[in-house]
Amino acid sequence: MNAKSTVKTKARHEQLGLSHAEVIDMYRYMLMARKYDERNLLLQRAGKINFHVSGIGQEAAQVGAAFALDRSRDYFLPYYRDYGFVLAAGMTLTELMLSAFAKAEDPNSGGRQMPGHFGSKRLRIVTGSSPVTTQVPHAVGVALAAKMQKKDIVSFVTFGEGSSNQGDFHEGCNFAGVHKLPVIIMCENNQYAISVPVQKQLAGKVSDRALGYGFPGVRVDGNDPLEVYRVVKEARERAIRGEGPTLIEAMMYRLSPHSTSDNDLVYRTKEEVEENWKKDSLPKMKQYLIDCGIWSEEQDADLSAEIAQQLKEAIDAADKAPFPKPEDTLLHVYADNEGGAR
């Protein structure tokens, strides 16, 4: 027998340097994000929360990217669908629910902003603004500060493909390219800018736009968390070496409506959506773990029950928490003459 045939081939995640525990954690956060998303859709219909923007179908790219970054040092500027990313970065289900319920203890904005506008000083998640794409020049500014301070960290920013047509995106890319800044710019191309399909938004690829700004652009399968992990990890290593930005276009499909105020069947067919459900990354990741011999249906049922209990506790805590006080409306908005926030 050939000696080589006795050598067991490493699984994909092992080839990428990920342990069994780490790849199981990837799946855990993907499932947690999906369950959170599904529960919020029900809460909105029940009148418990006012509004929800869904990210169903985008969890793989979000979690894969988070695992490729240094979650203890890097800075993050996620966009409003990135539940998988912020959970993997360290935000809790209770913190997310406090935001969904618009409660005073919400760490993102104290209950004064729409849910999905993430912000956490503890986790280095830079607070996002309501106008889409403003987070791109903000991320570039963070990267400029890191370069000036000679810190081996990167900033990571996400947005939808519709946002790539905004001036903020192009100005941010141009500045980052000129100054070779350590920023990773990832487009989550989910095929729709609310009701506008991608073929009516773009004449080419988002990733090709990087060529005009002097740095690499990469298109990746956003339904494959391990492939996204590989590409983001390479982009981070490149940035740390001082070689500048990378634009990543993660291809995926938005399986749910744009938000709870959107009827997606007005602009796309039921058949189209059902066809894309066949590509859903969540069951594929589960099957990958089972095929690797490191996961089972019993473990999966236990994990689902564990997340369901965590969600119940998060909802109960958020429901009981107080709303912001009217007199605190301007708290942390302005600074007083002594330099303190008020």
Side-chain angles (χ1 to χ4, degrees), residues 40-218:
N40 271 14
L41 292 172
L42 294 175
L43 288 169
Q44 193 276 336
R45 290 180 187 132
K48 300 293 287 186
I49 65 175
N50 292 320
F51 183 70
H52 178 64
V53 178
S54 179
I56 293 177
Q58 302 186 212
E59 303 93 345
Q62 296 167 5
V63 174
F67 271 69
L69 299 163
D70 187 335
R71 286 171 282 172
S72 68
R73 301 182 69 235
D74 292 338
Y75 281 75
F76 313 121
L77 294 93
Y79 91 128
Y80 50 81
R81 297 188 197 278
D82 279 350
Y83 308 113
F85 184 91
V86 297
L87 284 167
M91 197 166 280
T92 68
L93 286 172
T94 298
E95 288 174 325
L96 287 180
M97 279 299 177
L98 286 166
S99 179
F101 278 73
K103 295 302 180 75
E105 296 171 31
D106 162 34
N108 298 282
S109 69
R112 292 171 293 171
Q113 178 60 285
M114 288 193 299
H117 291 72
F118 308 108
S120 172
K121 185 175 182 179
R122 171 176 61 91
L123 301 173
R124 297 162 313 286
I125 297 174
V126 180
T127 301
S129 300
S130 291
V132 295
T133 331
T134 52
Q135 70 270 25
V136 175
H138 295 166
V140 171
V142 172
L144 176 62
K147 183 173 182 177
M148 292 174 69
Q149 295 171 16
K150 296 181 169 52
K151 292 183 177 179
D152 286 338
I153 60 175
V154 304
S155 66
F156 174 81
V157 60
T158 58
F159 52 94
E161 79 286 349
S163 296
S164 71
N165 298 320
Q166 298 288 101
D168 287 311
F169 166 78
H170 296 282
E171 291 174 25
C173 285
N174 186 62
F175 193 90
V178 168
H179 296 282
K180 293 189 180 299
L181 299 180
V183 57
I184 301 170
I185 304 166
M186 190 173 92
C187 172
E188 296 182 25
N189 189 336
N190 66 14
Q191 312 298 307
Y192 283 93
I194 306 184
S195 61
V196 183
V198 67
Q199 63 269 23
K200 292 186 178 180
Q201 302 174 50
L202 306 167
K205 300 176 183 177
V206 172
S207 52
D208 285 346
R209 292 177 169 180
L211 296 173
Y213 301 116
F215 55 85
V218 183

Side-chain angles (χ1 to χ4, degrees), residues 205-236:
K205 300 176 183 177
V206 172
S207 52
D208 285 346
R209 292 177 169 180
L211 296 173
Y213 301 116
F215 55 85
V218 183
R219 178 178 270 198
V220 63
D221 180 2
N223 292 317
D224 185 343
L226 296 180
E227 186 63 8
V228 174
Y229 170 86
R230 181 188 67 80
V231 169
V232 174
K233 185 179 180 182
E234 289 178 357
R236 187 183 188 280

Side-chain angles (χ1 to χ4, degrees), residues 10 28 80 159 183 236 238 265 328 340:
K10 287 185 177 181
R28 176 189 301 273
Y80 50 81
F159 52 94
V183 57
R236 187 183 188 280
R238 183 175 177 277
L265 295 182
D328 290 340

